[in-house]
Amino acid sequence: MDLSILVSNPLINISVLSWAAAQTIKTLIDAVKHKQFDRRRLSGAGGMPSSHSAVVCSVLLTAYYMYGFNSPIFALSFVLALIVMYDATGVRWAAGLHARAINHIVKYLEEDSPEGRQDLEQLIPRLNESLGHRMREVVCGAGLGLLIAVIGHLLRSA
């Protein structure tokens, strides 16, 4: 199987670099904030900056550089970026709030009924509350992705 396409495709390369940069920055910010390193943040959702936004915006700008404004690839990248960033601040943010509320209810029920605690833990595992993003996290992720795309373009042009 020839995997050279993965290394020679700038759209794939820039998206992987953007994701890795955003996840690394997110993990470092979390480590400073909580004064401990949590390796789960390297692949976790939510937080500053948005890796989803970084990925789609880096692909968007790279598609523009490679194929131009009127290309179908740029148009598809643009629509995908809008959907991903809207979803991050809307649907996924609301899902995180729902997870927080459910976790609070489960904790309350566990405290109220210690004998039923084990049953509750098996029935309802602790839900991830960090799913979506605030607008500033999405904007910072988008900015990071655009910056990485510009740097990638300059390196390819040199």
Side-chain angles (χ1 to χ4, degrees):
M1 181 191 222
D2 184 18
L3 298 177
S4 64
I5 186 86
L6 295 177
V7 189
S8 63
N9 188 327
L11 292 170
I12 293 173
N13 295 344
I14 208 72
S15 67
V16 170
L17 282 172
S18 295
W19 177 82
Q23 290 299 117
T24 301
I25 292 168
K26 184 184 303 191
T27 302
L28 292 173
I29 289 172
D30 185 71
V32 169
K33 184 178 177 181
H34 295 104
K35 297 182 175 66
Q36 66 180 7
F37 178 77
D38 182 5
R39 65 182 172 84
R40 292 175 296 179
R41 293 303 297 151
L42 286 170
S43 62
M48 170 70 93
S50 166
S51 56
H52 292 87
S53 298
V55 167
V56 294
C57 286
S58 67
V59 169
L60 172 69
L61 190 55
T62 302
Y64 171 75
Y65 285 141
M66 292 179 69
Y67 306 108
F69 183 79
N70 292 322
S71 74
I73 294 173
F74 176 78
L76 184 61
S77 300
F78 180 80
V79 171
L80 179 66
L82 290 178
I83 291 169
V84 166
M85 291 187 290
Y86 174 79
D87 180 67
T89 57
V91 176
R92 286 179 46 235
W93 180 257
L97 295 177
H98 291 144
R100 183 178 298 147
I102 291 168
N103 287 339
H104 181 74
I105 291 167
V106 169
K107 184 178 176 185
Y108 173 79
L109 292 173
E110 286 175 351
E111 291 170 356
D112 193 44
S113 174
E115 65 277 354
R117 179 184 187 127
Q118 209 167 24
D119 293 336
L120 274 174
E121 287 175 353
Q122 290 174 355
L123 181 64
I124 307 171
R126 180 152 177 81
L127 301 174
N128 181 7
E129 298 175 11
S130 179
L131 297 173
H133 294 282
R134 291 184 171 92
M135 185 57 75
R136 69 174 183 262
E137 295 168 343
V138 169
V139 169
C140 288
L144 176 64
L146 294 173
L147 176 65
I148 290 173
V150 168
I151 292 170
H153 176 69
L154 293 174
L155 291 174
R156 276 193 315 279
S157 299

mmCIF file of all heavy atoms in Angstrom, residues 1-9:
data_model
loop_
_atom_site.group_PDB
_atom_site.id
_atom_site.type_symbol
_atom_site.label_atom_id
_atom_site.label_comp_id
_atom_site.label_asym_id
_atom_site.label_seq_id
_atom_site.Cartn_x
_atom_site.Cartn_y
_atom_site.Cartn_z
ATOM 1 N N MET A 1 0.845 -1.185 0.000
ATOM 2 C CA MET A 1 0.000 0.000 0.000
ATOM 3 C C MET A 1 0.887 1.243 0.000
ATOM 4 O O MET A 1 1.774 1.389 0.836
ATOM 5 C CB MET A 1 -0.898 -0.037 1.227
ATOM 6 C CG MET A 1 -1.825 1.108 1.325
ATOM 7 S SD MET A 1 -2.535 1.065 2.943
ATOM 8 C CE MET A 1 -4.137 1.398 2.851
ATOM 9 N N ASP A 2 0.641 2.126 -0.932
ATOM 10 C CA ASP A 2 1.446 3.335 -1.075
ATOM 11 C C ASP A 2 0.874 4.451 -0.203
ATOM 12 O O ASP A 2 -0.211 4.969 -0.470
ATOM 13 C CB ASP A 2 1.467 3.751 -2.542
ATOM 14 C CG ASP A 2 2.368 4.945 -2.791
ATOM 15 O OD1 ASP A 2 3.221 5.245 -1.928
ATOM 16 O OD2 ASP A 2 2.221 5.576 -3.845
ATOM 17 N N LEU A 3 1.618 4.812 0.827
ATOM 18 C CA LEU A 3 1.165 5.856 1.750
ATOM 19 C C LEU A 3 1.766 7.220 1.430
ATOM 20 O O LEU A 3 1.622 8.159 2.208
ATOM 21 C CB LEU A 3 1.505 5.464 3.186
ATOM 22 C CG LEU A 3 0.842 4.184 3.701
ATOM 23 C CD1 LEU A 3 1.318 3.868 5.106
ATOM 24 C CD2 LEU A 3 -0.659 4.296 3.656
ATOM 25 N N SER A 4 2.431 7.342 0.278
ATOM 26 C CA SER A 4 3.074 8.613 -0.061
ATOM 27 C C SER A 4 2.065 9.751 -0.207
ATOM 28 O O SER A 4 2.402 10.913 -0.002
ATOM 29 C CB SER A 4 3.901 8.475 -1.338
ATOM 30 O OG SER A 4 3.058 8.179 -2.433
ATOM 31 N N ILE A 5 0.839 9.423 -0.548
ATOM 32 C CA ILE A 5 -0.195 10.460 -0.684
ATOM 33 C C ILE A 5 -0.399 11.207 0.625
ATOM 34 O O ILE A 5 -0.657 12.401 0.651
ATOM 35 C CB ILE A 5 -1.538 9.872 -1.203
ATOM 36 C CG1 ILE A 5 -2.545 10.985 -1.473
ATOM 37 C CG2 ILE A 5 -2.147 8.915 -0.205
ATOM 38 C CD1 ILE A 5 -2.455 11.586 -2.807
ATOM 39 N N LEU A 6 -0.256 10.494 1.753
ATOM 40 C CA LEU A 6 -0.439 11.135 3.051
ATOM 41 C C LEU A 6 0.644 12.170 3.324
ATOM 42 O O LEU A 6 0.404 13.161 4.003
ATOM 43 C CB LEU A 6 -0.461 10.095 4.164
ATOM 44 C CG LEU A 6 -1.623 9.108 4.131
ATOM 45 C CD1 LEU A 6 -1.486 8.096 5.246
ATOM 46 C CD2 LEU A 6 -2.950 9.839 4.222
ATOM 47 N N VAL A 7 1.832 11.938 2.812
ATOM 48 C CA VAL A 7 2.938 12.857 3.064
ATOM 49 C C VAL A 7 2.987 13.952 2.011
ATOM 50 O O VAL A 7 3.475 15.040 2.264
ATOM 51 C CB VAL A 7 4.277 12.087 3.093
ATOM 52 C CG1 VAL A 7 5.409 12.963 3.566
ATOM 53 C CG2 VAL A 7 4.178 10.858 3.963
ATOM 54 N N SER A 8 2.436 13.670 0.837
ATOM 55 C CA SER A 8 2.546 14.638 -0.253
ATOM 56 C C SER A 8 1.304 15.512 -0.405
ATOM 57 O O SER A 8 1.261 16.368 -1.272
ATOM 58 C CB SER A 8 2.797 13.893 -1.571
ATOM 59 O OG SER A 8 1.694 13.064 -1.873
ATOM 60 N N ASN A 9 0.295 15.310 0.405
ATOM 61 C CA ASN A 9 -0.928 16.091 0.288
ATOM 62 C C ASN A 9 -0.916 17.239 1.304
ATOM 63 O O ASN A 9 -1.093 17.009 2.502
ATOM 64 C CB ASN A 9 -2.141 15.190 0.506
ATOM 65 C CG ASN A 9 -3.440 15.894 0.210
ATOM 66 O OD1 ASN A 9 -3.579 17.089 0.426
ATOM 67 N ND2 ASN A 9 -4.412 15.135 -0.272
#
